[in-house]
Amino acid sequence: MFITIEGIDGSGKSTQAKRLAQWLEDFTGHETICTFEPGGWDGGKSLRDFILGSSGYCAQSELLLFLADRSEHVSRVILPALKAGHNVICERWNDSTLAYQSGGHELNVSDAERIIAACNFPEPNIKILLDIEPETAFSRIASRTPDKFEAEGLKLMKKVSEFYRSRAGEYAVIDCNNLNEEEVFAALTSKLEVYICQSR
């Protein structure tokens, strides 16, 4: 299985992805790889640091940088794992690119979708959206050193959140508002268990 986890910064993607990897391995009996974007491949840290640390380039350049990173990620990590019969859980995927570069930075959505489609990246079996109010998410990340996107603050978070919510029908949505970590995890595994059982 290929599973992607989406959501604005501070929604809990990293925490839930790590927990989900062990659960999925136990539930399916298949080794599970947990990875992330950008930079989730050997040698990807330098590109990740550049993408998240640099500013001043346009939304189209952002798009192309993320797609270059994704191309290496697919080639080096994701496709080899899937071909070996492993599960893959990835924090962020094409949806993040659309949400941030189109929803947040107003790159034409159709143009972005066309460029992404041309890359022929693998499609997830299921896409999970951790939905949370931007104000709550922003308060969670306030104490850490922000990357270039987090530094744009609540305004960008709201635009990205609105974009995700406009496409909610494409995701298994977990409403994280008013839930603690354990409750979010329980909701997440419940949805996945149903999906996996129905797919068999």
Side-chain angles (χ1 to χ4, degrees), residues 55-121:
S55 60
Y57 41 81
C58 68
Q60 182 168 300
S61 293
E62 289 177 355
L63 170 72
L64 296 174
L65 285 167
F66 278 110
L67 296 186
D69 173 80
R70 189 162 301 138
S71 294
E72 292 298 321
H73 196 194
V74 167
S75 175
R76 301 187 189 208
V77 178
I78 293 174
L79 278 184
L82 292 174
K83 288 177 179 178
H86 304 324
N87 299 312
V88 176
I89 298 172
C90 186
E91 298 172 47
R92 302 197 181 283
W93 195 240
N94 294 330
D95 304 84
S96 278
T97 305
L98 292 170
Y100 280 80
Q101 276 63 65
S102 292
H105 289 166
E106 301 179 357
L107 180 67
N108 182 274
V109 178
S110 297
D111 289 345
E113 288 177 325
R114 187 163 54 251
I115 294 169
I116 291 171
C119 295
N120 200 30
F121 296 133

Side-chain angles (χ1 to χ4, degrees), residues 10-25:
S11 59
K13 293 181 299 301
S14 297
T15 298
Q16 297 300 334
K18 290 180 177 66
R19 297 191 62 177
L20 183 61
Q22 185 59 59
W23 178 89
L24 189 62
E25 191 161 301

Side-chain angles (χ1 to χ4, degrees), residues 170-189:
E170 300 177 13
Y171 305 99
V173 180
I174 308 296
D175 185 347
C176 300
N177 295 291
N178 303 314
L179 299 182
N180 61 32
E181 180 184 322
E182 291 296 331
E183 291 168 330
V184 171
F185 183 65
L188 180 56
T189 53

